[in-house]
Amino acid sequence: MTKRKRSIIRVEDRSSDTPKWMITYADFIMLILVFFILLFSISQMDEAKFDAIAQSFREEGVFDSSPSISPFEDPIDGTEQNDEQLDNLMLQIQQYLEKENLQDTVVASRTDRGVVIVLQEQVIFNSGEAGVLPQAHPVLDRVGELLEGIPNFVRVEGHTDNRPIQTAQYPSNWELSTARSSSVLRYMLETRELESERFAAVGYGDTRPEVANDGPANWTLNRRVEIVILNRFYEEESE
């Protein structure tokens, strides 16, 4: 009897017929698909579940055990500390003014900008001049001493009334107000150990009156220099 030989057909690996780039491409497409599925699932995450997961991490101390590479200041704590410093500074200034009986010529107030110290013209300057008078030295010395203990930025602002001035040295109120703020700032920097980069001198002329320029009494109030110890978290809208 003749035995039939069974033909054996070898099935070769079909992958050998598939270009290698196509396999890589298919894997890449699959990874992208998985990535977008993850994004979709995250976007649909229930808020309550997310809060629960976050709370569990906090309870386990996950965040505490992995400190940030760059430490940062808690903005809430920083604001509270800054407010406390300014409130304390305000109290010291008020006590000094009361002790020296200067409330009528030097006014201090606490505003959103920070602590504002207003010095009237007659306290620090002769009319139409920008040289700091000796009688103003004790006040500026005390202010400078207090400024040594805080890091806040300080603006010294000069203001005039609206009556025009035209001299060889000061052609307008712009030059006079700027010269006055610069004189006050220069005195404090020369007599105290203060970082000059924390200060700026500005002259506003008659553009920011305290009261209406309608008579001698109000003209006197508008001729002033303001020392503004700025709140570290305050940004002026006009700046």
Side-chain angles (χ1 to χ4, degrees):
M1 176 183 283
T2 305
K3 294 183 179 180
R4 292 183 179 180
K5 295 183 179 180
R6 296 181 181 180
S7 59
I8 300 175
I9 301 175
R10 294 182 180 180
V11 180
E12 297 182 355
D13 188 0
R14 293 184 179 180
S15 63
S16 61
D17 297 332
T18 304
K20 293 183 178 180
W21 68 266
M22 186 174 293
I23 297 174
T24 303
Y25 179 76
D27 291 340
F28 177 71
I29 294 299
M30 181 61 70
L31 289 173
I32 292 179
L33 178 61
V34 172
F35 175 72
F36 279 106
I37 291 174
L38 286 174
L39 286 181
F40 178 77
S41 63
I42 293 173
S43 66
Q44 300 297 316
M45 179 177 288
D46 185 87
E47 184 176 353
K49 292 182 179 179
F50 179 82
D51 291 339
I53 294 172
Q55 181 62 31
S56 66
F57 275 114
R58 283 192 290 268
E59 291 176 354
E60 293 295 329
V62 173
F63 298 124
D64 295 336
S65 62
S66 302
S68 173
I69 296 177
S70 56
F72 60 90
E73 182 184 64
D74 187 332
I76 297 178
D77 293 342
T79 302
E80 293 176 354
Q81 182 180 10
N82 179 72
D83 288 340
E84 184 178 349
Q85 288 178 333
L86 291 177
D87 291 340
N88 182 53
L89 178 65
M90 178 67 187
L91 178 61
Q92 294 183 60
I93 293 172
Q94 287 179 329
Q95 291 174 343
Y96 172 77
L97 296 180
E98 292 175 1
K99 177 182 177 182
E100 301 298 328
N101 196 28
L102 294 171
Q103 300 96 316
D104 295 335
T105 52
V106 181
V107 179
S109 61
R110 181 76 164 85
T111 70
D112 290 340
R113 300 175 69 195
V115 174
V116 182
I117 305 170
V118 182
L119 300 92
Q120 299 299 331
E121 176 195 55
Q122 64 269 26
V123 180
I124 45 181
F125 306 113
N126 286 324
S127 180
E129 297 181 4
V132 176
L133 296 173
Q135 68 193 47
H137 291 178
V139 178
L140 297 180
D141 288 341
R142 180 54 178 161
V143 173
E145 179 183 354
L146 295 173
L147 293 179
E148 288 180 342
I150 62 172
N152 299 55
F153 193 81
V154 180
R155 289 168 60 95
V156 183
E157 304 174 349
H159 302 269
T160 67
D161 59 37
N162 66 343
R163 293 178 300 169
I165 182 175
Q166 188 172 7
T167 66
Q169 192 171 9
Y170 308 114
S172 72
N173 283 319
W174 289 107
E175 285 81 9
L176 177 60
S177 62
T178 302
R180 285 181 167 181
S181 63
S182 297
S183 294
V184 170
L185 176 54
R186 184 168 59 252
Y187 176 83
M188 290 194 297
L189 292 178
E190 290 176 350
T191 56
R192 309 302 307 183
E193 294 184 1
L194 300 169
E195 304 89 348
S196 58
E197 60 271 16
R198 286 202 296 122
F199 294 82
V202 185
Y204 288 113
D206 61 357
T207 62
R208 297 190 179 186
E210 186 74 13
V211 293
N213 280 296
D214 55 7
N218 283 353
W219 289 335
T220 299
L221 293 176
N222 287 332
R223 297 193 300 270
R224 68 198 190 280
V225 168
E226 296 184 356
I227 301 174
V228 187
I229 301 99
L230 290 171
N231 183 333
R232 291 165 58 193
F233 298 92
Y234 176 82
E235 295 183 4
E236 293 191 83
E237 295 180 358
S238 59
E239 295 296 292

